[in-house]
Amino acid sequence: MAMLSKVSRAKPDSTLQKRQSAPILVLAALATLSFVLLPVLYLVQRALQGEWATTKIIIFRSKTLEVLITTVSLVLLVAAIAAVIGISLAWSLYNVKLAAPNLLRALVVLPMAIPSYVFTYCWLSLGVLPEGFIGAVAVLTLSTTPYVTLAAMAALHRIDSSQIDVAQTLGLNQFQTLRRVTLPQMRNAIASGVLLVSLYVLSDFGAVSLLGVDTFTRAIHNTYQGSFDRSTAAILSLMLVAVSAVVISMEVTTRKRLRIVKSSVAIARQRQRLDSVKSQTIATTIFGVYILTSLAIPISVLGYRFISRSEPIEATRLLQASVSTILVSSIGALLALLLALPIAILSIRSSLLGRLAERGVLVVSALPGIVIGLSLVAFGSDIPWAYQTLGLLAFAYSILFVARSVGTIRNALARVPESLPEIAATLGQTRSRIFYRVTLPLAAPGVIAGTLLVFLSAMKELPATLMLRPTGFETLATEIWNNTAIFRFSEAAPYALLLVAIAAVPTFLLSRPDKDAERGEHR
Amino acid sequence: MPRKLIALWAALALAASLTSCSSDANDQGEDQSLVIYSGRTQEYIASLFDDFTKETGIKLEVRYGDSAALAAQILEEGENSPADLFISQDAGALGAVADAGLLDLLSPEILNRVEPRYRATNGDWVSLTGRVRIFAYAPDRVSELPATVDDLLAPSWRGRLGIAPTNASFQAFVTAMIQLRGEAETELWLRGIVANDPKLYEKNSLIVEAIDAGEIDGGLVNHYYIFEVSEELNREINVKNHFFQSGDVGNLVNVSGVGIMKQSEKKDLASNLITYLLSPSSQQRFVAEVNEYSIVDPTLKPVGLVALDQVGAPEVNLAQLSDMQRTQNLLIKVGLL
């Protein structure tokens, strides 16, 4: 197997590698890093304002240890189960003959469109959710599996089918092929999917608050809104940052050096899918159960609440909230793209700054929205013309979610085959022209996917939005909150349904296979 | 220049122009407007604000949010806060902002509308409405109602009680108990409750729903939740309110209140609004629409409940309810948080 991968390995794009990085790139990456680390700066400031004696007590008391253990166990369990389910779903899609595979592919990714607080509430209202920790594991696993599914699907798509053929010719059965050929090549993608899941769980507040699970985010919230003790909250937040740094470095060490895997002898033929009754039944069951629990049931609950409403629909308000949501989320996504590109480029070049910057942005994404919100309030309120403006809110989104796109964009840029930019170079094009005219268009699907991910996350965001939006500016998420805060869950249903419907669009786009990559690989 | 670069710059320019799409309060000027941070939700106050604007022509830019979250935000904004007024649903959040020195002294006319115990001792905030802690229970399953909160420590209540330790009102109640009985006694009571196997909920409404559903038989919540839950579920519920004996800490009256921000440049306009909110018509609407108690007029009361002066509230300094840190540490110590 090792020989096979050597044969199929091609050199990554060398115009992106081993050159002195242009100063503007370095500056841009530094700028991004400093923006994204603003919350950490805020936290350090606040933490230092407390007394050392109190700080010591907080860090070392048993309650904090409990919170740490709860958080870490939650992350580990959710990541592990989501990985298993995600890989199973993706593998089945590719290797088992199923009815309506395109529809299934879209449906298993669609749960990403449902915010975790809505998801949790829907399940809670049915009364069948186990309480506390187990309930949180269930809910968070169902919500975050799509991150792994997407990554696994992309990875499976890139695996050379000729390797599978050779493996089977050599006598390996399905499981052995999976274990020795497929999974090792999926490792990087799965690792980044699992990383996204872990960071999501670390930063989640909606599910754990409704279920009463004592994670760091809940402890931080209770401190901010209970005792208003910002230095204690800052210390807890910094501990969360430390945990996320550990998680991130684990992913980074797991990551092998990025290689482009494609065969020089491409056989473009229909892949044989398993069509035995047993495999089809098993696969269909897995899909059925997952789609039922993560999509059908929550949406039905929302639908039921919607129908049983007594008040008429406020159409203008719904429309306004939708437009606002789309507007500010898309600007946030574009800003995130601007922030992510320099880091992604530098990261491919294996520059120290690139690596640091990438981890830096990841670290911040584990912080709950209330921390990002308050940090931007602290800095933003010093700049009256920018404070509580649409621009600042979009900027907050870009900081919050740039981590979700950096990995995808980096991988997309790295997969551009070396030959094309090199040809352009021999034709006398400048490096920046090569980047814009050759590399970026080829990497476009992945870059767009990363940006869509940010767009999707921004649409669902709540705590930072509540704090930073212009007064009177409502997004779908804030309207949901307006109603649930006064227990009008039925009133919240139209907004929730509309949010899911709109979020389904980028989610659907994300689920589609990477057609351009397919073409590129068979060149 | 490459097309994509132009597109990105265009996006940036758009974003930059959107910094002008900020709250109207940023254009200071001669137009009469106020910025309000309101912990009181839109549903329960927006119509009063609209009527105020109609009567006086003063525009109101209202930022709705959770009282504690808004207080945390105001504390971060400090003197740069764009808010002119802060309306809080509980005294704790208001007190936290007051303790940071961010509220201005109110005029004597406003302060004298309420009794001294319903306003800040140094006069920087005043109460609007009252919310009473009560004991909610299922009338068909509870034969012996508790006279004091200590009765809930009895073995007969094992596993039948619901509380919401993360909730601000519950924490206010514990803070009041610390004020009245001291920390050691309060810790004893809390440990007694924990030993009696209570069910913990995130929200007061969930407690009332649980009583109705038969999961628990009683809970410590605020008085208006039985009305709220009944409205949301669109039917009668099997839950009633019960007051503890007179003076018991279980009858704590918590208040929603308002203060004027020190850095506000429109203090006169802000005072007008406060006067309006304390007026008889506004107070009547609070009682009728939200089922709260009026602080200004003790005769106004929600349907089916006794008047405020007959509730038998404990003598507690509301301003000190902002000292939640001790309460939180205590709750953590006994394992409720």
Side-chain angles (χ1 to χ4, degrees):
Chain A
M1 299 304 124
M3 259 183 60
L4 267 177
S5 26
K6 276 203 176 66
V7 162
S8 61
R9 200 191 318 151
K11 279 196 310 212
D13 177 4
S14 64
T15 56
L16 285 176
Q17 282 216 338
K18 294 195 204 91
R19 303 272 185 85
Q20 187 102 51
S21 301
I24 187 166
L25 267 183
V26 175
L27 277 174
L30 279 173
T32 303
L33 199 54
S34 52
F35 289 143
V36 172
L37 290 180
L38 273 178
V40 179
L41 182 61
Y42 160 79
L43 288 174
V44 171
Q45 250 183 353
R46 289 284 168 270
L48 289 175
Q49 279 169 358
E51 289 158 15
W52 175 236
T54 334
T55 308
K56 250 192 346 180
I57 296 178
I58 295 161
I59 298 180
F60 294 113
R61 71 180 170 195
S62 59
K63 173 69 180 183
T64 308
L65 185 63
E66 273 173 47
V67 167
L68 177 63
I69 294 176
T70 310
T71 309
V72 169
S73 341
L74 189 63
V75 170
L76 286 175
L77 271 173
V78 171
I81 304 176
V84 167
I85 301 179
I87 296 175
S88 317
L89 289 172
W91 191 88
S92 308
L93 258 175
Y94 268 79
N95 293 299
V96 179
K97 191 155 182 228
L98 294 163
N102 291 331
L103 177 65
L104 284 178
R105 177 173 42 231
L107 286 178
V108 296
V109 175
L110 224 39
M112 274 202 316
I114 309 178
S116 78
Y117 44 92
V118 171
F119 194 87
T120 313
Y121 178 72
C122 288
W123 270 103
L124 262 181
S125 66
L126 286 174
V128 299
L129 195 61
E131 283 187 10
F133 188 79
I134 310 279
V137 171
V139 162
L140 286 170
T141 307
L142 291 175
S143 302
T144 56
T145 300
Y147 287 111
V148 179
T149 317
L150 274 178
M153 288 199 304
L156 277 169
H157 204 73
R158 288 197 295 276
I159 290 179
D160 197 338
S161 54
S162 55
Q163 292 186 359
I164 315 275
D165 294 338
V166 172
Q168 304 204 313
T169 319
L170 289 172
L172 298 181
N173 66 24
Q174 287 289 344
F175 286 122
Q176 288 168 319
T177 316
L178 176 67
R179 196 167 60 84
R180 296 174 65 177
V181 179
T182 321
L183 277 180
Q185 294 185 55
M186 292 169 71
R187 202 166 104 174
N188 284 358
I190 295 178
S192 60
V194 164
L195 177 64
L196 281 181
V197 168
S198 310
L199 293 174
Y200 185 101
V201 172
L202 281 174
S203 69
D204 174 74
F205 176 67
V208 297
S209 75
L210 282 173
L211 290 164
V213 178
D214 263 330
T215 60
F216 271 111
T217 49
R218 192 157 174 267
I220 293 169
H221 257 259
N222 284 342
T223 314
Y224 274 126
Q225 297 187 12
S227 54
F228 303 103
D229 179 3
R230 285 166 290 155
S231 70
T232 303
I235 293 164
L236 289 171
S237 306
L238 285 171
M239 293 181 73
L240 179 56
V241 166
V243 171
S244 69
V246 169
V247 171
I248 291 164
S249 31
M250 277 169 56
E251 189 263 350
V252 172
T253 46
T254 318
R255 204 198 289 169
K256 296 189 294 190
R257 262 189 64 76
L258 207 54
R259 283 170 171 72
I260 300 175
V261 181
K262 62 181 204 281
S263 166
S264 51
V265 183
I267 306 171
R269 63 173 189 73
Q270 267 305 54
R271 191 171 42 248
Q272 284 276 18
R273 286 188 157 90
L274 288 176
D275 56 3
S276 73
V277 172
K278 185 173 112 177
S279 5
Q280 281 185 318
T281 319
I282 298 178
T284 314
T285 316
I286 301 177
F287 273 90
V289 169
Y290 181 71
I291 294 176
L292 187 69
T293 50
S294 67
L295 198 61
I297 292 183
I299 305 249
S300 315
V301 172
L302 282 179
Y304 172 71
R305 288 295 214 171
F306 176 71
I307 296 172
S308 53
R309 284 170 58 257
S310 38
E311 315 251 324
I313 302 181
E314 298 178 61
T316 6
R317 216 165 137 177
L318 270 171
L319 187 63
Q320 228 171 355
S322 310
V323 169
S324 308
T325 308
I326 297 176
L327 181 65
V328 71
S329 304
S330 36
I331 298 173
L334 284 172
L335 282 177
L337 176 62
L338 287 179
L339 292 181
L341 268 176
I343 297 182
I345 297 173
L346 284 178
S347 169
I348 299 176
R349 299 187 194 194
S350 311
S351 88
L352 181 64
L353 177 61
R355 285 204 301 274
L356 278 177
E358 197 184 344
R359 289 176 219 205
V361 308
L362 283 170
V363 148
V364 168
S365 72
L367 286 170
I370 187 174
V371 172
I372 311 284
L374 281 175
S375 60
L376 284 175
V377 165
F379 289 118
S381 56
D382 288 334
I383 317 172
W385 56 265
Y387 187 53
Q388 286 178 359
T389 59
L390 202 61
L392 185 64
L393 181 57
F395 180 63
Y397 288 158
S398 66
I399 297 181
L400 263 169
F401 302 121
V402 64
R404 300 197 184 171
S405 62
V406 160
T408 319
I409 295 179
R410 173 187 23 89
N411 291 343
L413 287 173
R415 280 204 304 279
V416 173
E418 94 183 71
S419 44
L420 300 166
E422 279 193 347
I423 293 172
T426 58
L427 289 174
Q429 298 284 344
T430 61
R431 261 184 29 199
S432 61
R433 261 184 96 78
I434 294 175
F435 182 74
Y436 288 117
R437 299 291 299 271
V438 180
T439 316
L440 205 49
L442 282 173
V447 171
I448 293 176
T451 313
L452 280 176
L453 208 48
V454 174
F455 177 64
L456 178 63
S457 309
M459 277 201 290
K460 301 184 293 179
E461 208 285 328
L462 184 61
T465 313
L466 283 172
M467 277 188 251
L468 294 168
R469 61 194 165 136
T471 310
F473 182 86
E474 302 285 347
T475 64
L476 288 167
T478 61
E479 288 284 27
I480 294 173
W481 181 86
N482 283 338
N483 284 299
T484 54
I486 46 173
F487 325 114
R488 300 284 161 85
F489 299 112
S490 308
E491 294 303 316
Y495 297 98
L497 280 170
L498 199 51
L499 177 57
V500 173
I502 297 179
V505 175
T507 314
F508 171 69
L509 290 173
L510 277 168
S511 71
R512 280 175 29 207
D514 202 348
K515 293 201 181 60
D516 285 343
E518 220 172 23
R519 279 205 297 277
E521 285 180 330
H522 289 297
R523 209 174 289 272
Chain B
M1 251 185 153
R3 268 194 315 239
K4 288 223 160 61
L5 194 56
I6 296 176
L8 287 175
W9 277 114
L12 257 183
L14 175 67
S17 73
L18 286 167
T19 57
S20 59
C21 249
S22 65
S23 35
D24 290 339
N26 279 2
D27 3 286
Q28 304 285 341
E30 295 87 37
D31 64 324
Q32 306 221 306
S33 66
L34 284 172
V35 175
I36 306 173
Y37 278 22
S38 172
R40 195 174 189 77
T41 49
Q42 196 168 10
E43 181 90 10
Y44 297 149
I45 201 169
S47 53
L48 269 99
F49 284 151
D50 291 339
D51 290 344
F52 177 76
T53 304
K54 271 193 228 134
E55 271 180 38
T56 60
I58 302 174
K59 278 192 334 180
L60 300 175
E61 296 283 335
V62 190
R63 187 174 196 85
Y64 295 102
D66 172 77
S67 298
L70 285 172
Q73 185 169 358
I74 290 178
L75 288 172
E76 281 301 347
E77 291 169 346
E79 285 160 7
N80 291 327
S81 178
D84 294 306
L85 288 131
F86 176 44
I87 300 178
S88 168
Q89 275 295 80
D90 69 79
L94 205 46
V97 174
D99 288 344
L102 294 169
L103 292 180
D104 197 46
L105 196 56
L106 295 171
S107 70
E109 298 89 59
I110 290 178
L111 289 173
N112 287 330
R113 291 214 182 192
V114 302
E115 284 176 47
R117 67 163 159 170
Y118 292 129
R119 59 183 195 233
T121 27
N122 60 348
D124 53 9
W125 57 263
V126 71
S127 305
L128 285 177
T129 63
R131 301 133 89 238
V132 188
R133 295 289 293 174
I134 46 93
F135 182 73
Y137 68 101
D140 54 345
R141 297 196 300 270
V142 178
S143 45
E144 260 200 57
L145 288 168
T148 69
V149 292
D150 299 309
D151 288 344
L152 294 170
L153 301 176
S156 56
W157 276 105
R158 163 149 289 162
R160 296 165 71 200
L161 181 70
I163 53 174
T166 56
N167 184 262
S169 318
F170 181 81
Q171 293 183 5
F173 156 71
V174 175
T175 313
M177 197 188 267
I178 296 179
Q179 241 188 69
L180 287 175
R181 298 188 181 185
E183 207 173 319
E185 287 278 322
T186 309
E187 186 175 336
L188 279 176
W189 185 85
L190 284 171
R191 290 198 187 275
I193 287 286
V194 171
N196 229 5
D197 225 5
K199 285 209 155 159
L200 305 184
Y201 297 85
E202 262 322 271
K203 291 177 183 251
N204 288 319
S205 59
L206 292 175
I207 294 181
V208 173
E209 281 182 29
I211 299 175
D212 183 57
E215 263 176 53
I216 45 173
D217 295 331
L220 291 170
V221 295
N222 295 342
H223 77 269
Y224 49 85
Y225 282 97
I226 58 168
F227 304 108
E228 292 228 10
V229 171
S230 175
E231 241 182 83
E232 163 66 12
L233 295 176
N234 235 330
R235 59 175 169 82
E236 295 289 315
I237 52 172
N238 185 23
V239 190
K240 280 188 138 69
N241 282 344
H242 162 71
F243 292 106
F244 294 95
Q245 74 189 19
S246 180
D248 189 71
V249 64
N251 297 337
L252 175 70
V253 172
N254 202 338
V255 294
S256 68
V258 61
I260 301 181
M261 303 297 296
K262 207 172 237 167
Q263 83 288 351
S264 165
E265 291 168 15
K266 304 183 182 174
K267 297 195 174 118
D268 293 331
L269 296 181
S271 294
N272 285 352
L273 179 60
I274 298 184
T275 310
Y276 172 78
L277 291 173
L278 290 172
S279 69
S281 59
S282 302
Q283 293 284 307
Q284 264 162 19
R285 283 169 76 172
F286 285 137
V287 175
E289 289 167 22
V290 191
N291 293 304
E292 286 174 317
Y293 279 95
S294 163
I295 292 293
V296 171
D297 184 355
T299 62
L300 291 174
K301 61 182 185 66
V303 171
L305 294 176
V306 296
L308 192 60
D309 46 11
Q310 287 168 8
V311 158
E315 291 287 330
V316 162
N317 185 343
L318 288 171
Q320 283 173 8
L321 289 183
S322 63
D323 184 12
M324 295 279 215
Q325 191 161 11
R326 228 177 6 163
T327 306
Q328 284 218 332
N329 287 340
L330 192 53
L331 287 171
I332 292 177
K333 198 172 169 194
V334 305
L336 278 175
L337 257 192

